[in-house]
Amino acid sequence: MQFNEKLKQLRAQKGISQADLAEKIFVSRSAVAKWENGLGIPSEQSLDMLADFFEVSASELMSDPTVETVMVTKNSIIGRQKTYIISITVTALTLIIGLAVLCGYFVFGRTNRYANPTISYRLIFETEKEIDTEKFVNYPDGEISADGDFADSRTFEMKHNVGAICLPELLVRKTVNGAVSYEKVDYSNLVFTCSDNILLTAEDSPTQSSRLSVLPVEYYAVEFGDWANIKYGSLFISIKVFRNRVAVEKSTVGFSDDSSEIQLAQSKQLVNDIEPVDANHVNSVYTIERILNPIGEEYSGDLSEYAFIDRDYLTTTDKIEIGSVIYLFAVTEYDNIKSNVFAVKVVRKSVERISLTFPDFATDIIIGESKPLTLTCYPSNASFNVLNEQATVTLLTPEQAELEKTDSGWLLTVSSDAKYVGEKIHVKVETPEGVERTFYWTITGISIEKLTLLNADKGQELEQLTYINRNETLRLIVSVTPADATYEKISYNLFADISNFGRYVKLSEDGVLTVSDDAPSGMEIFISASAGRFSSPSYKIVVKD
């Protein structure tokens, strides 16, 4: 397949016009038309750009060896035709002058008339229009070096108080036989290669001006010389970004909460304020210089047993005494500027709230019962808890209960005397630092679960239907479940199905039922028992003839 046929086919597959293809490879539309009509072939540079655009090799485009021969032959025919026309119009000069002119025309006309134009492309910044950028070093992908030569117009400083650099607008400078023109860059087709410390972003919008920005990966990341490569098609431009170091002049250490105190077993963040604020200190190394106990004596041995610094946090242990003072300082990297010596006092964390509770958090306790009590002091990091201190726990009502210290807390046992039911047990708690509170619980009785009426003579539960003769007595007793339930007395209740039943039947307070000899036959009597608010079922007794 001929070159012009391949070119037409590839352009058709891409679905673009001759004008669009010409714009992509920086030539005129007529040049593309000439190539597709078989009237010429592209220069080596244009051929490479065509190969890149269609993603094929240059050799594939020109794979037919007859292509160039055909093009040259066609150009020769056109040249001879023009030569004949010119030779007819030449005046009858002397034969020697005519031959000389004719020879000159063949020598220069044929070799230069159809020679390919000299075209070059260069990716530049808009600010470099009047600068000879041919001498600037542009590194291809993977070969950029921060040590290379960078022109002033391609070296940019990132100030410490600025988050990004806006680069000048990018242009493509096209030179055809010495004539220069400029074309705008499609920012969406830019490809970046950067060092680890910087990022490049591009914006290209019809409603906004094109902008290329350089940002640091971290605020202090950019330092002495970072670089980036910007690729547009086969064109490159290389830049260098630097940030001048700002030395640390002063360093001041303190806590993030602006205090100078720390509690037992606490961690607090240290901060190192640097002057000037934009200095490049990166990190500070904190060191504990010494620790003095409350009477001013210096701790010896491994100081980390009492306090240590991990990253930017000072942490105390439970071995350091309250009232001790920790002296520490910081040294900045690079400049090795030592900070002030920061004195930190170890203080007590007071108990704010006390809780003395049963496991079930009940507010009462049953008479005769024993229940464990647990003491809790809040907050959890209070010095009382850290040091495992003991509180004073006092029973204020010893006649009602007993309080015993155990390994896990205290055990409270209530008196079994029913006279204390409804009264309160009081316990006072006092911590070593003087925080105190009194707790109380109400003594309650053992609840009745069941009341049953029994025939005292038989020792059995009374039947739900029992018959009794006139002039007969029935002795009753009550069974209480559980047997140790708390109650004051048992009451017996009587009811009959006729009016004035009291003339015929009586029930004593101790549970003796008596039926008179004139009681009506078939009279129904209903009997029950109660203890406080709890009652037994109702039993029916019928009078026989």
Side-chain angles (χ1 to χ4, degrees):
M1 184 182 293
Q2 301 293 336
F3 165 75
N4 63 319
E5 295 172 341
K6 288 184 180 179
L7 183 58
K8 285 181 182 179
Q9 184 185 71
L10 289 172
R11 182 173 62 78
Q13 290 174 355
K14 281 280 187 178
I16 62 173
S17 65
Q18 289 181 347
D20 290 338
L21 176 59
E23 183 179 353
K24 295 293 184 183
I25 64 171
F26 310 107
V27 298
S28 64
R29 190 202 64 77
S30 60
V32 176
K34 173 183 170 184
W35 298 337
E36 291 190 357
N37 290 328
L39 299 178
I41 58 174
S43 66
E44 182 178 351
Q45 185 175 11
S46 296
L47 184 63
D48 289 339
M49 295 186 75
L50 282 171
D52 287 344
F53 179 75
F54 290 119
E55 299 179 348
V56 298
S57 65
S59 59
E60 288 180 85
L61 282 173
M62 301 294 290
S63 59
D64 192 333
T66 64
V67 171
E68 188 173 353
T69 302
V70 171
M71 294 299 144
V72 172
T73 302
K74 289 184 177 181
N75 289 340
S76 298
I77 293 171
I78 294 171
R80 283 196 298 272
Q81 289 173 348
K82 291 182 178 181
T83 300
Y84 297 151
I85 295 171
I86 293 172
S87 62
I88 294 173
T89 61
V90 174
T91 58
L93 299 175
T94 61
L95 183 58
I96 297 173
I97 296 174
L99 290 174
V101 171
L102 185 58
C103 290
Y105 177 78
F106 273 100
V107 171
F108 297 102
R110 291 182 60 185
T111 57
N112 294 326
R113 184 175 180 84
Y114 299 103
N116 288 322
T118 302
I119 304 175
S120 66
Y121 299 91
R122 192 75 172 180
L123 190 60
I124 67 168
F125 289 119
E126 192 272 339
T127 53
E128 297 176 340
K129 279 187 173 182
E130 306 302 324
I131 301 175
D132 181 11
T133 59
E134 301 298 326
K135 62 182 180 181
F136 296 174
V137 177
N138 286 328
Y139 296 93
D141 273 339
E143 297 182 10
I144 195 167
S145 170
D147 300 327
D149 295 328
F150 286 83
D152 291 341
S153 61
R154 296 183 182 178
T155 303
F156 302 92
E157 180 181 3
M158 181 166 285
K159 301 291 186 181
H160 285 265
N161 58 349
V162 176
I165 302 172
C166 293
L167 301 184
E169 185 178 0
L170 281 173
L171 300 172
V172 173
R173 182 162 69 188
K174 178 181 178 182
T175 306
V176 181
N177 291 339
V180 177
S181 61
Y182 297 95
E183 300 174 359
K184 287 193 173 184
V185 166
D186 180 359
Y187 277 42
S188 63
N189 290 330
L190 293 178
V191 179
F192 308 122
T193 304
C194 307
S195 60
D196 295 336
N197 292 328
I198 59 174
L199 297 172
L200 266 69
T201 62
E203 298 177 6
D204 191 5
S205 170
T207 59
Q208 299 178 2
S209 59
S210 300
R211 191 172 78 167
L212 186 64
S213 301
V214 182
L215 300 89
V217 173
E218 296 179 1
Y219 184 78
Y220 285 105
V222 181
E223 290 183 0
F224 305 115
D226 287 285
W227 47 262
N229 235 359
I230 306 168
K231 182 180 179 183
Y232 184 58
S234 60
L235 305 178
F236 290 88
I237 190 168
S238 304
I239 66 169
K240 184 174 183 178
V241 181
F242 70 94
R243 174 180 276 162
N244 288 320
R245 271 193 48 78
V246 177
V248 175
E249 298 175 5
K250 184 180 178 181
S251 165
T252 305
V253 170
F255 280 134
S256 58
D257 62 358
D258 293 329
S259 73
S260 58
E261 296 179 342
I262 192 170
Q263 302 155 16
L264 293 179
Q266 184 184 22
S267 292
K268 290 188 72 174
Q269 186 177 17
L270 293 164
V271 293
N272 189 11
D273 292 330
I274 299 298
E275 295 180 18
V277 292
D278 59 349
N280 300 77
H281 70 286
V282 182
N283 291 310
S284 296
V285 179
Y286 296 92
T287 303
I288 295 178
E289 186 178 65
R290 58 191 174 123
I291 305 176
L292 300 183
N293 65 19
I295 61 175
E297 296 176 345
E298 192 167 335
Y299 283 81
S300 59
D302 185 3
L303 296 182
S304 64
E305 293 183 12
Y306 312 102
F308 58 89
I309 298 174
D310 184 15
R311 295 183 178 87
D312 296 338
Y313 285 83
L314 173 65
T315 302
T316 55
T317 70
D318 57 0
K319 292 184 178 181
I320 194 168
E321 295 181 73
I322 295 172
S324 299
V325 180
I326 305 168
Y327 295 91
L328 57 91
F329 62 89
V331 176
T332 61
E333 291 186 4
Y334 291 138
D335 300 304
N336 293 320
I337 299 298
K338 183 178 178 180
S339 73
N340 61 306
V341 175
F342 181 40
V344 181
K345 187 175 181 180
V346 181
V347 297
R348 184 180 185 87
K349 175 66 174 176
S350 299
V351 172
E352 299 173 5
R353 184 165 59 91
I354 302 173
S355 172
L356 188 65
T357 58
F358 293 130
D360 58 359
F361 299 99
T363 58
D364 52 29
I365 185 169
I366 298 174
I367 187 170
E369 185 180 17
S370 292
K371 293 181 75 173
L373 282 168
T374 301
L375 174 66
T376 307
C377 293
Y378 303 92
S380 60
N381 63 339
S383 300
F384 176 89
N385 295 326
V386 174
L387 296 175
N388 295 316
E389 294 176 338
Q390 299 299 311
T392 302
V393 181
T394 305
L395 177 65
L396 301 180
T397 52
E399 70 281 0
Q400 300 172 359
E402 294 180 357
L403 187 64
E404 178 187 358
K405 180 73 174 69
T406 66
D407 293 339
S408 59
W410 286 265
L411 183 67
L412 181 65
T413 303
V414 182
S415 169
S416 58
D417 193 335
K419 70 179 183 179
Y420 295 120
V421 172
E423 296 189 9
K424 291 181 171 54
I425 300 172
H426 294 266
V427 177
K428 184 176 77 171
V429 179
E430 186 176 6
T431 67
E433 56 196 12
V435 178
E436 67 175 60
R437 181 182 171 187
T438 299
F439 300 86
Y440 67 87
W441 299 269
T442 302
I443 301 174
T444 61
I446 300 173
S447 299
I448 296 174
E449 298 176 4
K450 183 178 181 182
L451 288 180
T452 306
L453 277 177
L454 304 179
N455 185 327
D457 295 329
K458 295 182 179 180
Q460 298 177 349
E461 181 179 357
L462 193 65
E463 295 180 359
Q464 289 296 319
L465 176 60
T466 302
Y467 291 92
I468 190 169
N469 296 316
R470 296 185 184 93
N471 206 27
E472 185 180 356
T473 61
L474 177 63
R475 192 162 57 91
L476 305 171
I477 59 175
V478 177
S479 171
V480 180
T481 305
D484 58 351
T486 305
Y487 58 92
E488 292 185 6
K489 68 175 184 176
I490 297 292
S491 299
Y492 294 91
N493 309 303
L494 173 65
F495 177 76
D497 64 345
I498 64 174
S499 60
N500 299 320
F501 61 85
R503 295 171 50 193
Y504 310 110
V505 61
K506 295 187 182 298
L507 182 62
S508 67
E509 290 185 358
D510 57 354
V512 178
L513 176 68
T514 302
V515 179
S516 67
D517 57 0
D518 59 348
S521 176
M523 184 176 77
E524 295 181 351
I525 304 166
F526 299 92
I527 298 176
S528 64
S530 60
R533 291 177 295 179
F534 196 89
S535 298
S536 72
S538 180
Y539 298 84
K540 184 166 72 171
I541 300 174
V542 179
V543 177
K544 291 199 241 178
D545 288 337

